[in-house]
Amino acid sequence: MREKLGFLVGVWLLLCGFCFGRFVVEKNSLKLTSPDSLKGVYECAIGNFGVPQYGGTLVGTVVYPKANQKACKGFDEVDISFKSRPGGLPTFVLADRGDCYFTLKAWNAQNGGAAAILVADDKDEPLITMDTPEEENADADYLQNITIPSALISKSLGG
């Protein structure tokens, strides 16, 4: 009986080990070179859509838009373009988290000419992976057309 109980406990522990998963947030580094008050290297969580720049480097200028700061509508609706001038640095849009999906924010930034999007968290919390919500998959034809990288940054850095 004791051997049987030991076997059952072992099987139960084995099954529980398969039931409990681990979710890993893919993180990257963001290096700011100006202004002096923000110079440094910061942690960010990369989006699970678009084209992540694994091991790559992007150099550009971060812009916080005067309107549509959550990037939930097209920037053409508020007459804003992030297309860089010839010979100029690419533009990275800084958007606030909330009111719409991360993927819609990235799509709107891309269509506005941005080379990347940084989404500032609206909560003081550990960084999470920006993901494509399941309910959006059925409705959004644009998901497979997102080509810019995206990252979530902390509220303290974005604020």
Side-chain angles (χ1 to χ4, degrees):
M1 178 70 176
R2 183 177 245 176
E3 291 171 5
K4 200 175 203 181
L5 181 63
F7 175 75
L8 290 175
V9 168
V11 169
W12 183 79
L13 287 173
L14 182 65
L15 289 175
C16 285
F18 287 115
C19 295
F20 295 111
R22 196 175 97 176
F23 184 75
V24 177
V25 176
E26 291 190 63
K27 295 185 180 173
N28 208 339
S29 295
L30 175 68
K31 182 178 181 180
L32 298 178
T33 57
S34 71
D36 286 338
S37 62
L38 292 176
K39 271 188 184 177
V41 177
Y42 299 89
E43 192 174 69
C44 60
I46 60 174
N48 202 14
F49 51 86
V51 181
Q53 296 292 316
Y54 296 110
T57 301
L58 292 173
V59 177
T61 304
V62 177
V63 173
Y64 185 64
K66 294 178 182 172
N68 193 22
Q69 294 162 334
K70 291 190 177 180
C72 290
K73 56 186 172 184
F75 284 98
D76 58 338
E77 294 179 37
V78 291
D79 203 29
I80 296 176
S81 173
F82 302 109
K83 291 184 172 79
S84 32
R85 297 182 188 128
L89 290 174
T91 302
F92 305 158
V93 173
L94 174 61
D96 295 327
R97 183 178 179 184
D99 292 350
C100 64
Y101 294 121
F102 294 125
T103 52
L104 183 58
K105 294 174 187 295
W107 179 247
N108 289 334
Q110 176 179 307
N111 286 334
I117 184 167
L118 301 173
V119 179
D121 204 342
D122 58 350
K123 302 174 184 101
D124 287 317
E125 64 183 358
L127 294 172
I128 63 166
T129 296
M130 294 188 300
D131 205 355
T132 305
E134 289 179 20
E135 46 297 345
E136 188 180 16
N137 286 336
D139 302 344
D141 295 332
Y142 64 83
L143 292 176
Q144 65 274 13
N145 295 318
I146 297 173
T147 58
I148 64 171
S150 58
L152 181 70
I153 60 172
S154 67
K155 179 179 180 180
S156 60
L157 178 59

